[in-house]
């Protein structure tokens, strides 16, 4: 009795979430443009679970929108969406609820790399394929079907190349990193260190957890500890939201755009504006618009078709020179 009541309550909660997401449409097209042979599953059969990790940044907001919009456009049967508020335990509970519901595919953007083995094993035992989206996991590759996302190490390497260009005679930089233990922060930190010239020193590295709000006090504390221009000449910031927080602090301290060399990551509208205003000297692209590829992979997995084990997003670096021109075309 109590078990079935718990299950019913969970199911209701999931239905409410989907209702809010506005993606439970049943009147949508029943076949995809590239509909497979008779008997094969189509998008109208698909129940996809997306336990989003949070809403910490503009990148994340755009990623959520991409998933919801693609689900609606393709007319999938149900999108089971939730927001874990940057807490791994919430994500794990959401995955477990999806396994219990018997979804077709789980697409998981993991908040941190470690600690997924148990729940991924549960999904595997239940026969539910898992697509790891965006950040990576440290779990064995046999526990999930594929990973789609950016090469975070390459992003850090690209940032290093910018500092090498801007500081040919060397110097010192600070690093404001993303969520501790997240694939994005680990990769970017590693990439920076891989390629930074030996005459450029990282004198301090602190986390701002990928949010503007948390970056502000961290930068304030760093400014108390180090004198800009003398102790350090540049800052590597792991995302644009934190970068915007940093700019607030620098402005309040009387620092002018261009006094420090700043490189950020994502390429959001906020990041482009920071380039237009002269604060960022480069913004390393990280593309959140993964919806179409995620659903395409999910459909293949539902039909037992093979997929690439790793799908890497194609990205670039943006510069102030054409930031004003590109800003109106930015989708996030
Ligand atoms: O760069 C940041 C977000 O995992 C790539 O997470 C993503 C990162 C992105 O909070 O803005």
């Amino acid at each position: 009795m109590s078990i079935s009541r718990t299950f019913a309550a969970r199911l209701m909660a999931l239905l409410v979430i989907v209702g809010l997401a506005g993606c439970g449409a049943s009147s949508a097209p029943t076949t995809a443009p590239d509909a497979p042979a008779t008997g094969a599953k189509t998008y109208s059969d698909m129940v996809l679970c997306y336990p989003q990790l949070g809403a910490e940044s503009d990148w994340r907001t755009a990623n959520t929108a991409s998933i919801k919009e693609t689900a609606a456009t393709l007319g999938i049967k149900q999108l089971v969406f939730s927001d874990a508020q940057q807490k791994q335990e919430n994500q794990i509970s959401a995955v477990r609820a999806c396994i219990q519901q018997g979804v077709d595919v789980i697409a998981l953007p993991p908040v941190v790399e470690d600690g997924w083995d148990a729940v991924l094993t549960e999904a595997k035992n239940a026969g539910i394929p898992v697509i790891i989206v965006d950040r990576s996991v440290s779990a064995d590759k046999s526990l999930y079907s594929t990973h789609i996302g950016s090469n975070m190490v390459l992003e850090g390497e690209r940032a290093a190349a910018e500092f090498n260009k801007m500081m040919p005679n060397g110097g010192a930089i600070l690093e404001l990193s993303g969520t501790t233990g997240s694939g994005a922060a680990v990769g970017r930190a590693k990439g920076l260190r891989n390629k930074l010239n030996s005459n450029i020193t990282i004198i301090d590295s602190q986390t701002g957890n990928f949010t503007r709000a948390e970056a502000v006090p961290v930068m304030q504390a760093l400014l108390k500890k180090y004198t800009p221009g003398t102790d350090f000449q540049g800052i590597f910031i792991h995302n644009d939201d934190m970068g915007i927080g940093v700019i607030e602090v620098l402005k309040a301290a009387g620092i002018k755009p261009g006094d420090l060399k700043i490189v950020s990551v994502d390429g959001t509208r906020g990041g482009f504006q920071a380039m237009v205003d002269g604060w960022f000297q480069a913004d390393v692209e990280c593309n959140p618009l993964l919806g179409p590829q995620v659903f395409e992979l999910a459909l293949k997995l539902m039909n037992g078709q093979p997929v690439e084990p790793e799908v890497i997003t194609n990205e670039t670096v943006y510069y102030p020179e054409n930031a004003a021109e590109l800003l109106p075309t930015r989708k996030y």
Side-chain angles (χ1 to χ4, degrees):
M1 234 346 231
S2 73
I3 289 168
S4 67
R5 237 188 250 140
T6 317
F7 181 68
R10 279 211 185 121
L11 200 61
M12 274 310 292
L14 288 169
L15 290 174
V16 168
I17 290 164
V18 170
L20 287 174
C23 293
S26 54
S27 58
T30 49
T31 46
D34 53 350
T38 325
K41 303 256 175 60
T42 69
Y43 285 113
S44 64
D45 301 309
M46 183 186 289
V47 178
L48 183 128
C49 172
Y50 202 76
Q52 180 59 285
L53 69 86
E56 75 286 359
S57 64
D58 287 348
W59 190 102
R60 192 65 49 199
T61 305
N63 179 253
T64 292
S66 175
I67 293 294
K68 288 183 178 176
E69 281 163 21
T70 311
T73 306
L74 296 173
I76 74 161
K77 189 169 169 189
Q78 190 189 9
L79 172 66
V80 185
F81 181 89
S82 51
D83 174 350
Q85 302 183 331
Q86 296 227 71
K87 293 200 176 73
Q88 186 179 30
E89 62 266 34
N90 291 349
Q91 272 196 304
I92 291 176
S93 307
V95 172
R96 290 212 164 109
C98 285
I99 295 172
Q100 203 164 8
Q101 185 190 342
V103 300
D104 296 304
V105 180
I106 297 169
L108 169 69
V111 62
V112 289
E113 288 187 300
D114 297 342
W116 295 103
D117 298 63
V119 78
L120 289 178
T121 304
E122 289 164 36
K124 192 175 184 189
N125 291 343
I128 301 173
V130 176
I131 303 171
I132 302 294
V133 184
D134 161 27
R135 303 175 185 175
S136 47
V137 290
S138 59
D140 195 83
K141 285 193 186 332
S142 65
L143 293 178
Y144 55 92
S145 302
T146 179
H147 169 234
I148 172 169
S150 306
N151 183 338
M152 311 290 182
V153 176
L154 181 61
E155 290 173 352
E157 291 179 347
R158 285 178 170 155
E162 297 307 319
F163 286 112
N164 294 344
K165 268 194 266 171
M166 293 189 288
M167 302 167 73
N169 302 319
I173 63 170
L174 299 176
E175 180 182 40
L176 207 70
S177 85
T179 304
T180 307
S182 70
V186 171
R188 288 168 192 173
K190 184 169 181 233
L192 180 74
R193 285 154 183 81
N194 280 353
K195 289 282 154 83
L196 202 61
N197 283 345
S198 58
N199 61 1
I200 304 176
T201 326
I202 306 163
I203 55 163
D204 210 332
S205 175
Q206 301 289 334
T207 178
N209 205 21
F210 280 131
T211 72
R212 178 177 177 162
E214 283 163 274
V216 169
V218 173
M219 193 62 220
Q220 283 166 339
L222 286 168
L223 274 193
K224 289 213 176 88
K225 220 166 144 190
Y226 307 103
T227 310
T230 316
D231 293 336
F232 69 99
Q233 295 78 39
I235 319 175
F236 174 44
I237 308 173
H238 284 203
N239 82 342
D240 291 343
D241 296 73
M242 294 195 296
I244 291 161
V246 165
I247 293 171
E248 257 176 50
V249 176
L250 297 180
K251 263 190 195 162
I255 295 156
K256 300 266 171 308
D259 285 354
L260 293 167
K261 310 285 182 213
I262 302 179
V263 178
S264 179
V265 187
D266 276 355
T268 62
R269 280 194 210 104
F272 270 72
Q273 190 60 55
M275 287 196 282
V276 171
D277 297 341
W279 285 104
F280 292 177
Q281 277 71 47
D283 203 353
V284 179
E285 183 190 19
C286 183
N287 190 346
L289 308 177
L290 303 174
Q293 285 167 288
V294 166
F295 286 97
E296 202 183 312
L297 287 168
L299 189 63
K300 284 193 178 151
L301 290 170
M302 272 174 77
N303 283 307
Q305 290 167 3
V307 297
E308 292 294 326
E310 185 87 40
V311 184
I312 299 296
T313 320
N314 238 332
E315 288 157 348
T316 183
V317 181
Y318 296 110
Y319 297 99
E321 287 70 54
N322 58 353
E325 184 193 320
L326 291 178
L327 181 53
T329 70
R330 299 300 295 163
K331 294 206 165 56
Y332 54 94

